[in-house]
Amino acid sequence: MEKPTGLWWSWGGHRGRRSRVELLDFTLTGETTMTEDRLPLNELLQKAGDGDFLRAVAESVLQLLMEADVEGLIGAGRHERATDRLNWRNGYRDRSLDTRLGTLNLKIPKLRAGSYFPPFLEARKTTERALVAVIQEAWIGGVSTRRVDEIAQAMGLSGISKSQVSKLCKDIDERVKAFLDRPLEGDWPYLWLDATYLKVREGGRIVSVAAIIAVAANTDGRREIVGLGIGPSEAETFWADFLKRLTRRGLRGVKLVISDAHEGLKAAAQRVVGATWQRCRVHFMRNALAYVPKTQETVVAAAIRQAFVQPDRETAGQVWRHVADQLRPRFEKLGKLMDAAEHDVLAYMTFAPQHRTKLHSTNPLERLNKEVKRRADVIGIFPNEESIVRLVGAVLMEQNDDWQTQNRYMQIEGFAEPADKIADLRPLQITPKAA
């Protein structure tokens, strides 16, 4: 028979063993004797059929790699009796691997003690590991719902010990804590605060808590995630404590705090960081239109927005009060709301014009909040506040890394330009018909 040629993999195993798997290209013309190492691969390929040959080859080879690796780790082969074995097999867990050949369906061997993860598979990202840790914690603590139960089984989490969970959580917690407690250097003129509400078990009942995310822009025009807090978002003491923690880490030079109309935040921002408060314009419009019939919302919204396109704060205030007076006879509550909210909604107009599009609302945080909610919805109900910090903190850490590789978020020239140095634009006028 002609000598076969082909490809082979060789890798270092455990306890000094070296494993080798060969893919041979040959034609059998007579009776051929093959080694036991080559027989399993040949049998698997014959069973795979001709439908997707390359994918079957890849699945078979990777499966053989894992089997040989586990044998070295255990110190014995399948069904082999050995006095010096170090562990025992405990079934398999399914894992899919996306490749250029398609999705490979692998069966990763499990061990009775410890765990095994094949070295050729990419390890989970920090956020994915955090997600796994939270689900494991809920499962072990006996607080999981049927949904979490199904997710845990689908991810192959059955049989995970508490010690393994603690080890995984410790690694993530240390990295998240280092990120959230890092010192802040330089001046941070703009600070955005927004809350995402999550459910957590507390004292045997389910309560809703706010995960407060703080994002700030420095004088280099770059934004960073600077803080995360868990607690009741309406309490002034909570806002004061949260802002004090940021200042102790080095947050300074804050001139404008942008957020929704959280009770107590305005006073805390003025008292702790000495900054002006900007009420989110988007949230205000939603509150304002709640006093207007559906058929009138478009007209009223267009009238209020006339104030937002003015070139300076003084002109914007004049238009704002004019619109409020026109709407007051028909919508008295809306008129009172506009009177009370003028200074808070138009606060951003005193800052650099090139920055205003990003200062009038918390919209820059919307995409970040959606990602946090998407990850948190997988959990449903968190077992404790520590698990919220673990998962949300991991999401924020990854997002912050992405931001550092992007272009500047704000024009650096705007930080040096006085707020009143703006173009000599003709103020836009609002007509009674538009209101």
Side-chain angles (χ1 to χ4, degrees):
M1 187 189 78
E2 183 180 353
K3 184 179 180 179
T5 60
L7 301 174
W8 58 271
W9 271 286
S10 179
W11 74 101
H14 298 272
R15 304 178 67 190
R17 298 187 179 184
R18 193 158 193 85
S19 303
R20 172 170 167 162
V21 174
E22 297 186 53
L23 285 180
L24 302 177
D25 180 16
F26 57 87
T27 303
L28 294 177
T29 56
E31 184 177 356
T32 304
T33 302
M34 301 177 64
T35 64
E36 293 182 358
D37 288 340
R38 297 174 185 172
L39 277 173
L41 176 58
N42 189 36
E43 292 175 357
L44 287 171
L45 293 179
Q46 290 176 354
K47 293 178 181 179
D50 300 328
D52 196 343
F53 179 75
L54 292 178
R55 187 174 62 82
V57 168
E59 285 183 351
S60 302
V61 169
L62 294 180
Q63 197 66 46
L64 286 176
L65 289 176
M66 290 187 290
E67 296 294 343
D69 208 18
V70 168
E71 285 185 9
L73 183 63
I74 293 177
R78 284 183 65 85
H79 311 299
E80 178 184 351
R81 296 181 180 273
T83 56
D84 59 343
R85 70 162 54 239
L86 303 177
N87 209 332
W88 287 264
R89 291 174 177 268
N90 191 29
Y92 295 87
R93 60 186 175 94
D94 296 329
R95 173 70 183 262
S96 61
L97 175 64
D98 294 329
T99 69
R100 286 177 293 179
L101 300 176
T103 301
L104 307 182
N105 298 314
L106 305 177
K107 292 186 176 294
I108 300 178
K110 295 195 298 183
L111 305 177
R112 289 188 185 179
S115 60
Y116 167 73
F117 190 80
F120 54 81
L121 289 180
E122 181 182 1
R124 294 185 179 94
K125 291 183 179 180
T126 302
T127 302
E128 293 172 334
R129 294 172 61 194
L131 181 60
V132 172
V134 174
I135 294 178
Q136 289 172 345
E137 193 172 280
W139 172 264
I140 292 172
V143 297
S144 58
T145 61
R146 180 177 299 179
R147 173 176 172 78
V148 177
D149 184 11
E150 294 172 353
I151 294 172
Q153 294 185 24
M155 296 179 69
L157 300 181
S158 58
I160 300 296
S161 66
K162 288 188 177 181
S163 61
Q164 289 172 304
V165 174
S166 299
K167 183 178 179 181
L168 178 60
C169 294
K170 182 179 179 181
D171 175 61
I172 298 171
D173 290 345
E174 289 176 353
R175 295 177 60 190
V176 170
K177 186 177 186 301
F179 168 70
L180 296 177
D181 294 342
R182 73 191 188 281
L184 304 174
E185 301 177 353
D187 290 340
W188 304 82
Y190 305 132
L191 177 66
W192 291 266
L193 299 173
D194 203 6
T196 297
Y197 293 89
L198 306 172
K199 293 181 179 179
V200 63
R201 291 184 183 271
E202 183 179 285
R205 56 195 182 91
I206 300 174
V207 298
S208 178
V209 297
I212 308 298
I213 300 174
V215 174
N218 57 28
T219 50
D220 289 332
R222 299 193 177 278
R223 59 175 172 170
E224 292 188 24
I225 299 170
V226 296
L228 171 66
I230 309 296
S233 66
E234 300 302 328
E236 180 180 348
T237 54
F238 167 75
W239 286 111
D241 291 341
F242 180 70
L243 293 174
K244 286 178 181 179
R245 290 198 300 270
L246 294 180
T247 56
R248 284 195 293 267
R249 289 170 47 209
L251 183 72
R252 67 173 188 267
V254 180
K255 297 179 180 179
L256 185 66
V257 177
I258 306 100
S259 75
D260 192 9
H262 296 290
E263 185 178 345
L265 174 57
K266 181 179 180 180
Q270 179 63 38
R271 180 163 55 90
V272 178
V273 297
T276 303
W277 177 58
Q278 166 65 40
R279 180 174 181 176
C280 176
R281 203 173 77 181
V282 175
H283 288 90
F284 169 80
M285 290 296 291
R286 294 174 186 168
N287 297 336
L289 295 180
Y291 296 110
V292 179
K294 287 287 185 182
T295 56
Q296 299 294 317
E297 285 184 357
T298 302
V299 175
V300 172
I304 297 176
R305 290 193 183 102
Q306 292 293 324
F308 303 147
V309 297
Q310 303 304 314
D312 55 64
R313 171 65 178 86
E314 182 180 357
T315 308
Q318 293 175 359
V319 174
W320 181 276
R321 292 186 292 273
H322 180 61
V323 171
D325 291 339
Q326 289 183 319
L327 297 176
R328 203 182 315 276
R330 295 187 60 188
F331 312 110
E332 182 180 357
K333 292 184 178 180
L334 175 57
K336 292 181 179 179
L337 176 65
M338 293 185 65
D339 292 340
E342 176 186 344
H343 296 290
D344 297 332
V345 177
L346 300 180
Y348 75 101
M349 297 288 290
T350 60
F351 291 84
Q354 54 265 59
H355 292 169
R356 292 176 186 173
T357 57
K358 296 175 181 177
L359 297 180
H360 62 67
S361 71
T362 58
N363 276 3
L365 274 68
E366 287 300 316
R367 186 173 181 180
L368 180 60
N369 280 335
K370 287 181 180 178
E371 181 63 16
V372 170
K373 289 291 291 182
R374 185 181 72 84
R375 307 289 183 98
D377 286 345
V378 177
I379 304 302
I381 302 173
F382 285 84
N384 48 51
E385 290 189 0
E386 288 77 11
S387 61
I388 296 179
V389 175
R390 179 179 304 124
L391 179 60
V392 177
V395 175
L396 301 182
M397 185 166 54
E398 289 183 0
Q399 181 61 68
N400 192 73
D401 291 341
D402 290 341
W403 283 352
Q404 304 317 303
T405 62
Q406 299 174 2
N407 296 329
R408 284 189 175 91
Y409 182 65
M410 310 190 84
Q411 296 182 30
I412 193 172
E413 296 80 9
F415 293 105
E417 182 178 346
D420 56 355
K421 185 181 178 181
I422 59 177
D424 185 15
L425 300 176
R426 180 184 178 186
L428 297 177
Q429 301 295 330
I430 181 173
T431 62
K433 184 177 181 180

